[in-house]
Amino acid sequence: MESKSAVNMLSALGHEGRLAIFRLLVRGGPDGVAAGDIARTLNVLPNSLSANLNILSHAGLIVSRREGRSIIYSADYDAMSGLLGFLMEDCCNGVPEICAPLGSIVAGAQGCGPACAPGSAC
Amino acid sequence: MESKSAVNMLSALGHEGRLAIFRLLVRGGPDGVAAGDIARTLNVLPNSLSANLNILSHAGLIVSRREGRSIIYSADYDAMSGLLGFLMEDCCNGVPEICAPLGSIVAGAQGCGPACAPGSAC
DNA sequence: GAGATAATTCGAGCATATTGGAAATATGGA
DNA sequence: TCCATATTTCCAATATGCTCGAATTATCTC
């Protein structure tokens, strides 16, 4: 991940409405959420939503596909993972204090964390 | 971490100059870096730097202390950790695809990752 | 084709952010 | 006290971002 991409993503997420949209899409899973459903859920005007979806899309954080009359948006997991990795680079290469508390979060998720042999001491 | 705090941090980091400053401070370690050294390293005007340091400080990402004529800035590791944790909340509670690749980063860092018994299968 | 629904694009007005020069404040040393 | 250094604050110009109403495009159904 280049610094320029990271700046675009961070600035896209540095907006209350857009962060809410993105978190909704992440929770929405791979199937995605229709633009209209997002607008109704978050109670925002459709044109404002469209503008913010466009910004998130240009930042590479979300992708869209048409399905009939609706346009379905979904979070780009690779991009999000890349951004988190970028932010962690500095810390884990020199400043473990930041990453340390995150280990449990990562490990606590199902399917997340470093591969541990089942039944091992992990 | 509240959503409002996360937005402030993300928007503070969503700026090329400020992201460079923050990364420099993270790499700078707990001892911190003097404002003048930051300005010289990144080749920015002192007043612009001061404004950006102020924004990062208000976002809670950095702290400062005076030392003689210099003011030393350092990254707030708890805040950074909190932000990363906030961004991970969604993914690891439902969308492990995002967190999975991060596990190796966290685990690869010295002192990072879930506690594993030395010599275990981890 | 006509009408309804879903979403986007356009454009104006307003607010906020960014930049850089100049002046002000704080500290340490002669 | 006087001067040099370090940093911040003030200010104005410029640029960018945000919001909202209205019009436009795309799709489906009848």
Side-chain angles (χ1 to χ4, degrees):
Chain A
M1 160 103 32
E2 298 167 21
S3 176
K4 196 66 173 289
S5 298
V7 168
N8 285 337
M9 290 186 188
L10 290 166
S11 123
L13 293 177
H15 177 281
E16 195 157 18
R18 286 194 296 268
L19 184 59
I21 294 169
F22 183 70
R23 284 166 71 84
L24 180 65
L25 291 180
V26 169
R27 286 194 302 273
D31 293 343
V33 184
D37 290 336
I38 302 174
R40 273 182 292 277
T41 304
L42 300 180
N43 198 32
V44 293
L45 292 174
N47 53 357
S48 293
L49 174 66
S50 187
N52 284 327
L53 286 170
N54 203 37
I55 290 171
L56 288 169
S57 181
H58 271 84
L61 286 164
I62 64 177
V63 293
S64 62
R65 67 179 194 278
R66 180 175 280 278
E67 207 162 278
R69 265 176 296 200
S70 298
I71 295 188
I72 313 289
Y73 286 88
S74 48
D76 185 323
Y77 297 144
D78 286 344
M80 185 58 176
S81 182
L83 177 61
L84 288 170
F86 176 85
L87 292 175
M88 284 188 186
E89 267 175 26
D90 291 317
C91 81
C92 281
N93 297 324
V95 188
E97 287 92 333
I98 299 178
C99 270
L102 302 175
S104 55
I105 298 177
V106 175
Q110 327 84 315
C112 289
C116 284
S120 78
C122 287
Chain B
M1 160 101 35
E2 297 168 21
S3 176
K4 196 65 173 289
S5 298
V7 168
N8 284 336
M9 289 186 189
L10 290 167
S11 121
L13 293 176
H15 176 282
E16 195 157 19
R18 286 194 295 268
L19 184 59
I21 294 169
F22 184 70
R23 285 166 69 84
L24 180 67
L25 291 182
V26 169
R27 286 194 302 273
D31 293 344
V33 183
D37 290 336
I38 302 174
R40 273 181 293 276
T41 303
L42 299 180
N43 198 32
V44 293
L45 293 174
N47 53 354
S48 294
L49 175 67
S50 187
N52 285 326
L53 286 171
N54 203 37
I55 290 171
L56 288 168
S57 180
H58 271 84
L61 285 164
I62 63 176
V63 293
S64 63
R65 68 178 194 279
R66 180 175 279 278
E67 205 160 279
R69 265 177 296 199
S70 299
I71 295 187
I72 312 289
Y73 286 88
S74 48
D76 186 323
Y77 298 143
D78 286 344
M80 184 58 176
S81 182
L83 177 61
L84 288 170
F86 175 85
L87 292 175
M88 284 189 186
E89 268 175 26
D90 291 317
C91 81
C92 281
N93 296 324
V95 188
E97 288 92 333
I98 300 177
C99 270
L102 301 175
S104 56
I105 298 176
V106 174
Q110 327 85 314
C112 289
C116 285
S120 79
C122 288

